[in-house]
Amino acid sequence: MHSAWQNPFQSLAGLSKGLSDGLSQGFSEGLAQGAPEGLSQAELEDWNNQLSEIGEQYQGLMQDLLARIAPSEAADSIYSDMRESFEAGAQSLMQNPTLLWETQTRLLQDQWLLWQQAMRGMAGEQVTPLITPAKGDRRFKDEAWTQDPYYMAIMQQYLLFSQMVEELIDSLSGLDQTQQRNLMFYARQLVNAMAPTNFMTTNPEVMRRTVETRGQNLVDGLARLREDLGNSAEGINVRMTDRGAFSVGENIAVTPGSVVYENELIQLIQYTPTTEKTFKTPLLMVPPWINKYYVLDLREDNSMVKWLVDQGHTVFLISWRNPGPEQRDITWADYMQMGPISAIKAIEQACGEKSVNLLSYCVGGTLTASTVAYLTSTRRGRKVKSVTYMATLQDFRDPGDIGVFLNERVVEGIEQTLQLKGYLDGRSMAYTFNLLRENDLFWSFYINNYLKGETPAAFDLLYWNTDGTNLAAGTHAWYLRHMYLENRLVKPNGIELDGVKIDLRKVSAPSYFVSTKEDHIAKWNSTYYGALLPKGPVTFVLGGSGHIAGIVNPPDKNKYGYWTNDALPESHEEWLASATAQEGSWWPHWQTWMTDNGYADSQKMLPVRQPGDGELKVIEPAPGRYVKMTIPEVLGEAAAPN
């Protein structure tokens, strides 16, 4: 056990080899366990030869994948941290002989109980499982896992082992909170990678499919794997959806509007009104740039952009450029100046209004908080009539699992990669984020695409999720160090932008914070503390669900619900304990907040403003050029296959 903990590289190499070996060995075993009846000996031999050849090709591809594991300084630093985490866990375990003995004893007891159960099952007795999958674990939904003694035993052995690993790490002493979190994350990755569902010979659905199709599922899976490897930067970006089913500006991101301003970093979209009157103060949306804005405008029935336009707002939205090496030196201050500040100036030209309401999301909200504080420090705070932060980190005290990849060692590795390339490849970032929910966002697609040979279904949200963006070196390195590592945004004068020190505590603009209860990217137990910073009036709302579904939650769906509380106690636990649960979407609550407080003044409605009516003329129809640029196009690579 000690050596297994101390050698994660060996475990990882063994895992990759196990994947390829499992594929090749599984073909012959599949034939032995259930080859189709009625085949001649020659047909069986042809089939066996075909599957063996595919197995060898899969082995080659898996070795290629293994070679991709640490191709950069950033990846090297992650695996060094992984090794040290396992070493720290091993040392802690060896210093606790009682825990080590109890763990070994438990493993033996579990094996004995499983053997007894198997004997009873073979004797025809109905047996109760020793352990069942957790609620929400969809890996073992096939009937064979509960009806076939062979698969039932495999499932239980795996689940017992998984449970033991989790409880063992929880019991280790001498590790600080960060070490324990990192160790738990890395162990979870390895344990979930070794799930029997990920191997042909121990996945009943894959075995049946292989027999039924005479191995065609594996032929199709091989072709798809080759394509996906070719469209990956590090690791493998599994295909999640039928990319040919969607086209930006044709069946997603289709709310009518026009680009009325652009610079090196942004295009500013002004949306076409759908009401007879509009609120006097325009609304500027500041989305994140770590992915594309159209998650807020996927389709008509769930588009936040369209809903806001339909409420009578004059809506402007920043569409960020997908950067490449040429944008390597763009800084956080540049994002502020060329982003929200330039957009506010452009909106004044378009509408004649000197102030705006800001609506921001994720890292776009972090930038917006910086911008509002900067404007406040430069005596231009009145340009912001109100500001809304959706799932936004300002206080980075608990970054969640993503913090595993953001310690000093790893950030130094990322900084070296950024310095060499000038950008962080968005495909690498997507692979990292998928590992935060590895079973749902990696292994499930791995099984369906490469083992079952299935074609991914058309799903607009997953299309958006795979339509990534790069991150400029100068901005991203600064962001990781100043925000995640040092948490300087919450410190008075902790951040300096263009020679101006900013302080969120001086912001007097009315603020609306909305977070989501199950968010694993911007955890609400951190986002809440951003709401305690401004000196102006603050409203905090907690939505149901996660980072996307809890934010993009149209009212007519009547889903998830939200919590409200007029008080802002010192801790998020106190806030929730006295909060009131509400049904449906938080969107109407926000709209009421806007109108009741006069930020969107119902008493001062104006005739609607059409794009191009003011000093800014139409450049091109929405959604514009910037959002359509893919990573391969930006980097001069061949376009990715559909």
Side-chain angles (χ1 to χ4, degrees):
M1 178 174 290
H2 180 62
S3 62
W5 281 71
Q6 279 200 310
N7 293 284
F9 280 119
Q10 291 181 11
S11 298
L12 208 57
L15 167 62
S16 182
K17 189 175 187 300
L19 288 173
S20 56
D21 287 350
L23 287 165
S24 58
Q25 292 173 11
F27 305 142
S28 57
E29 290 183 21
L31 287 170
Q33 290 182 17
E37 296 181 1
L39 295 181
S40 67
Q41 184 62 35
E43 289 173 322
L44 285 173
E45 290 178 359
D46 288 343
W47 190 27
N48 192 19
N49 290 336
Q50 179 193 29
L51 295 179
S52 297
E53 180 181 351
I54 296 171
E56 292 175 4
Q57 294 182 43
Y58 261 111
Q59 282 188 324
L61 282 168
M62 288 300 174
Q63 292 305 318
D64 180 58
L65 175 59
L66 181 61
R68 291 169 172 261
I69 285 178
S72 69
E73 291 75 9
D76 280 336
S77 63
I78 290 173
Y79 284 97
S80 294
D81 183 69
M82 177 181 174
R83 182 186 64 249
E84 291 187 1
S85 295
F86 278 100
E87 288 175 349
Q91 291 171 6
S92 175
L93 182 59
M94 297 308 292
Q95 291 170 6
N96 190 341
T98 301
L99 180 60
L100 178 59
W101 179 82
E102 289 175 348
T103 301
Q104 292 171 332
T105 302
R106 177 175 172 180
L107 286 171
L108 290 173
Q109 289 175 336
D110 288 343
Q111 292 302 310
W112 172 249
L113 291 172
L114 279 173
W115 181 82
Q116 284 186 315
Q117 184 192 69
M119 293 300 99
R120 291 162 55 199
M122 290 175 63
E125 182 180 344
Q126 283 291 112
V127 294
T128 302
L130 302 176
I131 187 171
T132 57
K135 184 179 180 181
D137 187 345
R138 295 175 290 181
R139 293 175 294 177
F140 302 99
K141 63 182 184 297
D142 190 85
E143 287 186 358
W145 294 111
T146 55
Q147 302 300 317
D148 187 313
Y150 168 73
Y151 288 114
M152 185 176 179
I154 292 174
M155 177 189 72
Q156 291 182 93
Q157 185 157 23
Y158 170 74
L159 293 176
L160 287 168
F161 176 74
S162 300
Q163 179 179 270
M164 184 273 296
V165 170
E166 182 177 347
E167 294 177 0
L168 174 62
I169 295 174
D170 278 336
S171 302
L172 292 175
S173 59
L175 302 178
D176 62 33
Q177 187 175 0
T178 298
Q179 287 177 313
Q180 193 160 37
R181 177 201 64 189
N182 290 8
L183 179 58
M184 183 68 81
F185 178 83
Y186 292 135
R188 192 188 81 205
Q189 295 299 320
L190 290 175
V191 168
N192 284 335
M194 292 186 289
T197 47
N198 299 335
F199 298 85
M200 178 185 170
T201 55
T202 51
N203 187 319
E205 293 180 88
V206 175
M207 290 296 289
R208 286 198 302 269
R209 181 67 62 86
T210 302
V211 171
E212 291 168 359
T213 68
R214 299 190 184 186
Q216 187 61 43
N217 57 308
L218 303 170
V219 175
D220 296 340
L222 173 61
R224 193 162 292 118
L225 177 55
R226 283 173 168 165
E227 291 175 359
D228 290 350
L229 279 171
N231 192 39
S232 301
E234 293 178 339
I236 178 171
N237 296 101
V238 295
R239 192 177 320 188
M240 294 181 171
T241 187
D242 178 6
R243 294 190 57 82
F246 301 100
S247 179
V248 176
E250 294 183 12
N251 56 359
I252 49 177
V254 294
T255 299
S258 302
V259 175
V260 295
Y261 170 82
E262 66 181 31
N263 58 35
E264 180 188 359
L265 196 56
I266 74 166
Q267 286 193 314
L268 183 66
I269 300 172
Q270 180 180 354
Y271 287 95
T272 304
T274 58
T275 55
E276 294 182 0
K277 298 285 186 178
T278 187
F279 294 112
K280 184 176 185 294
T281 305
L283 178 68
L284 172 60
M285 302 181 72
V286 187
W289 59 84
I290 108 179
N291 41 43
K292 294 184 177 177
Y293 82 79
Y294 63 85
V295 70
L296 302 172
D297 187 30
L298 275 176
R299 59 182 187 272
E300 186 172 337
D301 68 339
N302 71 351
S303 170
M304 176 177 272
V305 170
K306 182 181 185 305
W307 186 86
L308 291 166
V309 172
D310 290 345
Q311 305 314 301
H313 295 280
T314 302
V315 178
F316 291 82
L317 181 143
I318 291 174
S319 174
W320 300 101
R321 180 176 192 153
N322 194 345
E326 297 81 5
Q327 287 75 43
R328 66 179 302 139
D329 295 325
I330 289 179
T331 66
W332 187 270
D334 292 330
Y335 263 83
M336 176 184 71
Q337 295 288 3
M338 288 192 282
I341 290 180
S342 291
I344 291 171
K345 292 177 182 177
I347 290 171
E348 184 175 354
Q349 291 180 277
C351 300
E353 295 295 329
K354 297 183 180 298
S355 63
V356 299
N357 292 306
L358 291 172
L359 177 66
S360 59
Y361 186 20
C362 191
V363 70
T366 309
L367 177 70
T368 296
S370 306
T371 303
V372 175
Y374 175 85
L375 291 173
T376 300
S377 293
T378 55
R379 299 184 179 181
R380 291 178 285 170
R382 290 186 178 180
K383 289 189 173 291
V384 179
K385 197 164 189 177
S386 75
V387 56
T388 297
Y389 303 105
M390 302 185 294
T392 294
L393 283 168
Q394 296 179 23
D395 189 323
F396 287 74
R397 64 179 62 189
D398 182 6
D401 280 346
I402 193 65
V404 172
F405 302 111
L406 296 173
N407 57 45
E408 179 65 38
R409 176 201 295 274
V410 174
V411 169
E412 286 180 358
I414 294 173
E415 288 172 339
Q416 292 177 40
T417 297
L418 289 168
Q419 183 64 31
L420 288 171
K421 290 186 174 182
Y423 64 94
L424 179 66
D425 194 306
R427 293 167 295 189
S428 299
M429 185 179 61
Y431 176 66
T432 299
F433 271 92
N434 288 343
L435 291 182
L436 300 181
R437 291 291 183 269
E438 67 279 1
N439 286 331
D440 291 334
L441 296 179
F442 183 83
W443 289 112
S444 63
F445 292 100
Y446 172 91
I447 294 165
N448 289 337
N449 294 0
Y450 311 142
L451 301 185
K452 294 183 183 178
E454 295 177 350
T455 301
F459 187 16
D460 52 7
L461 181 61
L462 290 178
Y463 176 88
W464 166 83
N465 192 50
T466 57
D467 185 18
T469 59
N470 297 323
L471 300 174
T475 304
H476 195 58
W478 186 94
Y479 171 59
L480 294 180
R481 182 162 295 282
H482 285 72
M483 305 298 184
Y484 276 100
L485 275 190
E486 301 173 3
N487 199 15
R488 294 176 62 174
L489 186 58
V490 299
K491 300 174 183 177
N493 303 319
I495 297 290
E496 184 175 313
L497 299 171
D498 285 345
V500 177
K501 293 182 178 180
I502 64 173
D503 186 352
L504 297 182
R505 290 165 179 78
K506 295 180 179 178
V507 171
S508 57
S511 305
Y512 185 103
F513 287 75
V514 57
S515 298
T516 58
K517 202 170 186 180
E518 299 171 17
D519 196 331
H520 66 288
I521 295 172
K523 297 180 67 175
W524 88 272
N525 63 334
S526 280
T527 60
Y528 175 79
Y529 294 96
L532 302 182
L533 297 172
K535 71 176 185 180
V538 174
T539 296
F540 183 87
V541 171
L542 182 64
S545 195
H547 190 72
I548 295 174
I551 296 299
V552 183
N553 182 19
D556 60 354
K557 304 295 185 183
N558 197 34
K559 295 174 67 175
Y560 306 131
Y562 60 98
W563 289 261
T564 59
N565 188 344
D566 292 336
L568 285 173
E570 289 301 309
S571 74
H572 67 284
E573 294 98 340
E574 292 177 76
W575 185 92
L576 185 59
S578 56
T580 302
Q582 313 284 350
E583 292 186 359
S585 169
W586 61 271
W587 292 7
H589 181 273
W590 174 86
Q591 177 70 4
T592 300
W593 176 80
M594 291 284 287
T595 55
D596 284 356
N597 292 288
Y599 315 135
D601 195 341
S602 302
Q603 304 303 313
K604 297 181 180 179
M605 303 291 283
L606 303 176
V608 293
R609 306 158 174 131
Q610 297 290 344
D613 280 354
E615 295 180 23
L616 297 180
K617 300 307 176 185
V618 170
I619 296 174
E620 62 178 320
R625 305 184 314 281
Y626 283 10
V627 74
K628 294 181 180 180
M629 291 296 293
T630 66
I631 291 175
E633 289 171 336
V634 168
L635 300 181
E637 301 173 357
N642 284 332

